[in-house]
Amino acid sequence: MVTKTVERITIIGSGNWGSAIAKIIGNNVLDHPDTFERTVRMWVFQEQYNGENLTDIINREHENVKYLPGIKLPENVYAEPDLLKACENSNILVFVLPHQFIQGVCQKLHGVVSSNCKAISLIKGLDISEQGISLISEDISQQLGINCAVLSGANIANEVAQEKFCETTIGATSPADGEFFYKMFHTPYFRVNVVQDKVGVELCGALKNVVAVAAGLVDGLALGDNTKAAIIRRGLLEMRKFGQTFFKGVQNETFFESCGVADLITTCSGGRNRKVAAAFVTSGKPIDQLEAELLNGQKLQGTSTAQEVNEFLTARNMTQGFPLFTTVYRIIYEGEPCTKIVQDV
Amino acid sequence: MVTKTVERITIIGSGNWGSAIAKIIGNNVLDHPDTFERTVRMWVFQEQYNGENLTDIINREHENVKYLPGIKLPENVYAEPDLLKACENSNILVFVLPHQFIQGVCQKLHGVVSSNCKAISLIKGLDISEQGISLISEDISQQLGINCAVLSGANIANEVAQEKFCETTIGATSPADGEFFYKMFHTPYFRVNVVQDKVGVELCGALKNVVAVAAGLVDGLALGDNTKAAIIRRGLLEMRKFGQTFFKGVQNETFFESCGVADLITTCSGGRNRKVAAAFVTSGKPIDQLEAELLNGQKLQGTSTAQEVNEFLTARNMTQGFPLFTTVYRIIYEGEPCTKIVQDV
């Protein structure tokens, strides 16, 4: 008798995007019983919903009624409020939670996760400071001592959950891991492309938000379609230049992937960064006031990334080489006129 | 005493785009009196407007009241209704007229144009048939025995005429010609990038319309931003593949230029190809009926290019390699369901 080992998956996070991804993974593991364990664990930060534990509702109704209402999750997705229990004996960790919680989660998991575990990060963000840039997937790798791939693309969670056709990009330095994650994530409506340029994929996911702020400024100024397309294009090239200046091995081709040009198009069409930046122009209010009014005080990702990028570039005397990123920062935080977005880039 | 030769420019065409370009060139020559003759001739197909010759109005009012109303042209732009007079002793010909008139114009100019003349084509289109593909700039070159560069980008004429910031791409095989045309076209609000990959630039201008039809189908089906971005991205890659399969020297980088990704974004946001394709889905009417109703019977460029591309690919047994172009053709002309746009690509 041969005992076959199957991979146990834990999804760490259960927001809008985490739940949409749980639906995909939950269904996909059923097609590959030789590779994956049937039950997919999803760590849920416990909350009360209508006087009940959210996990209890999810496990009974197979629906994340709070963060992805109206979408049924596969019955083999199991919600678990205890992080360590959720990750117990897992071989595969899928990180899909807000940027600011990742440190705390990794600290709890430190020393618990076995070294033959694989991870993939769906988190969009960067830790940039004057000192340097650290990628979230690298933070995870270092803190847990495991490999961490990334997934990023033009993936608005609700549209993915409704099975509307889209694409995504997985960046995995090892081809075997790439193939493995492809099996976990690819569906006919959620098409996966795997590339080795993990850093390029991850940078796109963070830097696109700065470009979306620029696009929002153009919308606020009512400059029209030519101008907006020009700003998106310049933004794409500046993202690429940033990647290729500060990291080794970032490929041109990555910017043609879903994580690059497609995600940028989506983010510059809809999305909160674009919207709040447009309101910045038309209302004349400072950005922190708009964040308070429109985002419940939450920080906008594009503007805070612009600020961090500016700090990083200023420390290296390199702001001039990145005129779009720099101009976004100066408009939002230093009182430069909004029209500079088409004069100084 | 030294006699300095200056270049005489003729703009062949005076529609919306021709007039916007006449404004740019008319202003630019004033900044370079050592290089260009002061008067810029513009050939105008004579029409009556309020009982007067259109050329007379343009030369008196300095405004193309019919095709670009509300925009003042520089006074040194001179409208001339006689094609041969307009081109007399010109060294620079700017072709900016509808695709279907180019043959007739070249026949009239054949043998008249001197061989040291340079041309640049702003015409978007291709001549494709079962036999092969001929680029408009090549037709001009061959018929007149002169070099012909191309200019293409995210350039909606009215927005350019209003001096809203945008970019464009000039494709010129000779760097000297590239530099020369840069001087003629570049302004702070109309930023020119010159590349050597002339073929790539010209192909983008024609093939983007097929992708815009696909984007319009997605809009008609209300599939959302993820799907539209995925289709635009796949379209961009299929344009590139088409160029690199059937022509030598088409560069990846060209698709990052304004003529590539930016023009595609603009065309897929607004534009008649997108609009009519969306109406094709929602109305269920055949394309020729929509052309009659919405375009005054004019043929839509994206659908006719899709038809020609399909003929060309079918003759080479290569439709499978270009699923987006092929699916657009089959949906529009062969009754395939519109939803195939996300299933067969």
Side-chain angles (χ1 to χ4, degrees), chain B residues 302-327:
Chain B
T303 50
S304 55
T305 303
Q307 195 169 26
E308 288 164 14
V309 166
N310 190 260
E311 209 175 290
F312 173 85
L313 292 173
T314 302
R316 281 152 191 80
N317 202 18
M318 288 174 80
T319 52
Q320 278 200 326
F322 299 88
L324 188 138
F325 293 164
T326 301
T327 305

Side-chain angles (χ1 to χ4, degrees), chain A residues 165 167 227 234 240 253, chain B residues 165 167 227 234 240 253:
Chain A
F165 172 83
E167 301 182 302
T227 307
R234 291 193 165 222
R240 187 177 80 172
E253 203 57 24
Chain B
F165 172 83
E167 301 182 301
T227 307
R234 290 193 165 222
R240 185 177 83 171
E253 203 57 24

Side-chain angles (χ1 to χ4, degrees), chain A residues 154 156 159 164-165 167 191 193 222-223 225-227 229 233-234 240 253 256-258 261-262 266 342 345, chain B residues 154 156 159 164-165 167 191 222-223 225-227 229 233-234 240 253 256-258 261-262 266 342 345:
Chain A
I156 297 166
E159 296 182 9
K164 289 180 173 175
F165 172 83
E167 301 182 302
R191 307 256 187 109
N193 264 2
L223 291 175
D225 284 345
N226 287 353
T227 307
R233 184 192 90 83
R234 291 193 165 222
R240 187 177 80 172
E253 203 57 24
F256 280 125
E257 291 293 334
S258 179
V261 63
T266 301
V342 293
V345 295
Chain B
I156 298 166
E159 295 181 9
K164 288 180 173 174
F165 172 83
E167 301 182 301
R191 307 257 186 108
L223 291 175
D225 284 347
N226 287 353
T227 307
R233 185 193 88 83
R234 290 193 165 222
R240 185 177 83 171
E253 203 57 24
F256 280 124
E257 292 291 335
S258 179
V261 63
T266 300
V342 293
V345 296

Side-chain angles (χ1 to χ4, degrees), chain A residues 265, chain B residues 207-236 263-281 302 324-325 327-328 331-332 338 341-342 345:
Chain A
I265 292 171
Chain B
L207 295 174
K208 62 156 193 178
N209 290 319
V210 182
V211 184
V213 172
L217 295 171
V218 169
D219 281 348
L221 292 163
L223 291 175
D225 284 347
N226 287 353
T227 307
K228 193 163 167 186
I231 290 294
I232 293 173
R233 185 193 88 83
R234 290 193 165 222
L236 184 66
D263 196 11
L264 192 60
I265 291 171
T266 300
T267 310
C268 292
S269 306
R272 44 165 50 183
N273 288 288
R274 190 207 63 83
K275 189 178 138 192
V276 176
F280 180 82
V281 178
L324 188 138
F325 293 164
T327 305
V328 166
I331 290 171
I332 299 291
C338 296
I341 197 62
V342 293
V345 296

Side-chain angles (χ1 to χ4, degrees), chain B residues 93-108:
Chain B
L93 302 178
V94 179
F95 287 90
V96 52
L97 70 176
H99 186 176
Q100 66 265 31
F101 300 131
I102 192 74
Q103 285 293 338
V105 163
C106 283
Q107 277 163 16
K108 278 195 194 141

Side-chain angles (χ1 to χ4, degrees), chain A residues 139-157:
Chain A
D139 288 350
I140 295 171
S141 277
Q142 281 169 14
Q143 293 202 48
L144 303 182
I146 60 178
N147 277 336
C148 184
V150 298
L151 180 150
S152 184
N155 304 141
I156 297 166

Side-chain angles (χ1 to χ4, degrees), chain A residues 310-322:
Chain A
N310 189 259
E311 207 175 292
F312 174 85
L313 291 173
T314 302
R316 282 151 191 79
N317 201 17
M318 287 175 79
T319 52
Q320 278 200 325
F322 298 89

